[in-house]
């Protein structure tokens, strides 16, 4: 899995040369010190230290995997607190709209943002939410790409103060209001059947266990899209073999996604909710950098050796070699050293041939 993540990160850096992902786990933080490999004994994993981390959940597979898993853990902790300490319940609201192949992602994102704001501020919606006992919301965001183009949509967890068993009439009225908000915001009107969905707590709890850009983003990092649709990291993966869809290269689609999503937040909690549920406020960048906690130093790597590891796309393999050396008690003269020696010998041979 680490091989997969690092190779995808290299591909993202290739497609986004001006973005921070190009420096992630490569450029040094302190230029007066060498890059270092540290070992987390509890996780039994080696990782790079004194290297910058971009902290992007949208364009960096390595950072996204770490951040979204920690966001999922925060969410589970918070919802358990809501249900136990506050005797609350949870509903899952999904909001989507009709879209076409010729619409850009940026225009759809603007329309969705406007529609959601209209929806939340609508007096009738506010009253319906009060009648349902909604006290807080947690909004998640997801984008896929399919035969009808880009499909951005919101998933909203509604934290309510009592159990709600029959909400079909409320759901229908909310759906009508959502359709109106979409059309007023310049979006194509969704159907009553597909525009708005409202599910009970059991379904919501199952969804929470896979929250992120869905469960395989926080585990295997590439989710299986539905009905032939692709997730952003599907686009990135298949761009490595020059695949295309709807007459466009997947590489250009991933570039459009990364640029359009820059700066967007994946999860938005109601004001004061994290404090209420005792969830510590941390930025994506802070979560990405937490790897170094509780880690011991294994060795440093000079610039020349590191450049060879990057050029040959074996940064991940070097870490794995060090892990095996550590496990086998041959630290200092094992697989990692042989890997570096082999890379240096190959580079010398390459330079001879060029001369």
């Amino acid at each position: 899995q680490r091989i997969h993540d690092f190779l995808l990160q290299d591909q993202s850096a290739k497609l986004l040369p001006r973005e921070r992902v190009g420096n992630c786990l490569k450029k040094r933080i302190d230029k007066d010190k060498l890059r270092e490999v540290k070992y987390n004994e509890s996780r039994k994993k080696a990782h790079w230290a004194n290297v910058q981390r971009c902290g992007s959940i949208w364009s960096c597979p390595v950072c996204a995997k770490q951040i979204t898993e920690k966001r999922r853990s925060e969410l589970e902790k918070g919802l358990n607190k809501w249900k136990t300490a506050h005797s609350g319940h949870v509903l899952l609201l999904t909001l989507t709209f009709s879209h076409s192949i010729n619409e850009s992602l940026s225009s759809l994102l603007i329309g969705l943002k406007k529609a959601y704001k209209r929806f939340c501020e609508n007096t009738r919606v506010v009253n319906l939410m009060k009648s349902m006992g909604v006290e807080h919301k947690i909004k998640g965001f997801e984008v896929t790409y399919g035969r009808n183009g880009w499909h951005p949509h919101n998933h909203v967890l509604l934290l309510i103060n009592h159990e709600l068993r029959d909400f079909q009439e409320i759901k229908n009225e909310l759906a009508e209001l959502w359709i109106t908000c979409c059309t007023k915001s310049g979006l194509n009107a969704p159907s009553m059947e597909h525009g708005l969905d409202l599910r009970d707590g059991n379904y919501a709890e199952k969804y929470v266990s896979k929250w992120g850009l869905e469960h395989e983003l926080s585990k295997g990092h590439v989710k299986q899209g539905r009905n032939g649709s692709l997730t952003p990291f599907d686009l990135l993966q298949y761009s490595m073999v020059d695949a295309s869809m709807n007459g466009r290269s997947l590489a250009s689609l991933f570039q459009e996604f990364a640029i359009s999503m820059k700066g967007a937040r994946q999860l938005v909690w109601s004001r004061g909710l994290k404090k209420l549920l005792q969830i510590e406020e941390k930025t994506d960048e802070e979560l990405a950098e937490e790897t170094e906690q509780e880690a011991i130093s294994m060795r440093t790597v000079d610039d020349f050796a590191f450049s060879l590891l990057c050029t040959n796309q074996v940064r991940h393999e070097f870490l794995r070699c060090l892990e095996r050396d550590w496990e086998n008690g041959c630290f200092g003269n094992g697989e990692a050293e042989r890997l570096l020696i082999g890379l240096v010998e190959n580079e010398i041979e390459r330079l001879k041939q060029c001369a």
Side-chain angles (χ1 to χ4, degrees), residues 169-227:
E169 287 187 14
I170 294 177
K171 175 182 174 182
N172 291 339
E173 189 169 354
L174 287 173
E176 291 178 357
L177 292 167
W178 172 243
I179 291 172
T180 301
C181 291
C182 287
T183 55
K184 285 184 177 180
S185 302
L187 298 174
N188 294 324
S191 66
M192 279 290 291
E193 182 182 1
H194 298 110
L196 181 145
D197 188 37
L198 188 62
R199 302 289 185 102
D200 64 16
N202 291 331
Y203 184 90
E205 287 175 17
K206 290 178 183 177
Y207 187 85
V208 167
S209 68
K210 61 174 186 174
W211 196 293
L213 295 178
E214 296 274 316
H215 67 299
E216 280 162 356
L217 178 61
S218 60
K219 296 180 182 178
H221 206 69
V222 178
K223 157 200 160 185
Q224 295 294 318
R226 297 178 181 177
N227 301 320

Side-chain angles (χ1 to χ4, degrees), residues 16-33:
L16 304 167
R18 296 183 179 181
E19 299 301 321
R20 291 179 61 195
V21 65
N23 298 331
C24 190
L25 298 183
K26 292 177 183 175
K27 284 205 172 183
R28 287 178 291 171
I29 297 173
D30 187 341
K31 294 184 178 180
D32 295 326
K33 297 180 181 179

Side-chain angles (χ1 to χ4, degrees), residues 6 30 54 65 289 325:
F6 272 68
D30 187 341
C54 67
K65 184 176 181 179
E289 292 170 359
D325 289 344

Side-chain angles (χ1 to χ4, degrees), residues 257-271:
F257 167 80
I259 293 169
S260 299
M261 295 298 298
K262 189 174 180 180
R265 294 170 64 189
Q266 183 196 21
L267 289 178
V268 179
W269 297 57
S270 293
R271 184 174 297 177

Side-chain angles (χ1 to χ4, degrees), residues 86-294:
H86 300 272
S87 302
H89 298 268
V90 182
L91 297 177
L92 175 64
L93 175 70
T94 300
L95 300 169
T96 187
F97 57 91
S98 181
H99 51 93
S100 66
I101 192 174
N102 296 319
E103 294 176 287
S104 68
L105 177 57
S106 59
S107 65
L108 294 176
L109 293 176
I110 291 171
L112 178 59
K113 184 177 181 179
K114 289 180 179 178
Y116 184 70
K117 186 174 187 294
R118 272 196 172 95
F119 184 73
C120 291
E121 294 176 352
N122 181 280
T123 302
R124 184 56 186 152
V125 171
V126 171
N127 290 335
L128 286 171
M129 292 289 179
K130 285 182 180 179
S131 70
M132 294 163 60
V134 176
E135 294 192 10
H136 297 281
K137 302 185 188 77
I138 305 173
K139 180 173 74 71
F141 185 68
E142 188 177 348
V143 178
T144 57
Y145 186 85
R147 60 178 180 269
N148 293 321
W150 292 108
H151 179 213
H153 48 287
N154 289 335
H155 296 290
V156 187
L157 288 174
L158 305 177
L159 278 60
I160 59 179
N161 55 26
H162 65 276
E163 188 173 8
L164 195 62
R165 295 184 180 275
D166 184 12
F167 47 79
Q168 188 60 45
E169 287 187 14
I170 294 177
K171 175 182 174 182
N172 291 339
E173 189 169 354
L174 287 173
E176 291 178 357
L177 292 167
W178 172 243
I179 291 172
T180 301
C181 291
C182 287
T183 55
K184 285 184 177 180
S185 302
L187 298 174
N188 294 324
S191 66
M192 279 290 291
E193 182 182 1
H194 298 110
L196 181 145
D197 188 37
L198 188 62
R199 302 289 185 102
D200 64 16
N202 291 331
Y203 184 90
E205 287 175 17
K206 290 178 183 177
Y207 187 85
V208 167
S209 68
K210 61 174 186 174
W211 196 293
L213 295 178
E214 296 274 316
H215 67 299
E216 280 162 356
L217 178 61
S218 60
K219 296 180 182 178
H221 206 69
V222 178
K223 157 200 160 185
Q224 295 294 318
R226 297 178 181 177
N227 301 320
S229 65
L230 300 174
T231 66
F233 288 106
D234 284 331
L235 297 177
L236 180 61
Q237 177 171 302
Y238 296 129
S239 74
M240 298 175 73
V241 292
D242 296 325
S244 61
M245 189 174 186
N246 294 335
R248 289 188 58 184
S249 70
L250 298 195
S252 69
L253 289 170
F254 179 76
Q255 289 169 327
E256 180 183 356
F257 167 80
I259 293 169
S260 299
M261 295 298 298
K262 189 174 180 180
R265 294 170 64 189
Q266 183 196 21
L267 289 178
V268 179
W269 297 57
S270 293
R271 184 174 297 177
L273 180 57
K274 280 193 172 182
K275 183 177 181 180
L276 175 69
L277 300 178
Q278 299 178 323
I279 303 296
E280 186 178 357
E281 286 282 359
K282 290 186 178 181
T283 65
D284 287 348
E285 289 77 10
E286 287 172 333
L287 291 178
E289 292 170 359
E290 281 187 349
T291 310
E292 305 220 7
Q293 296 178 4
E294 301 178 2

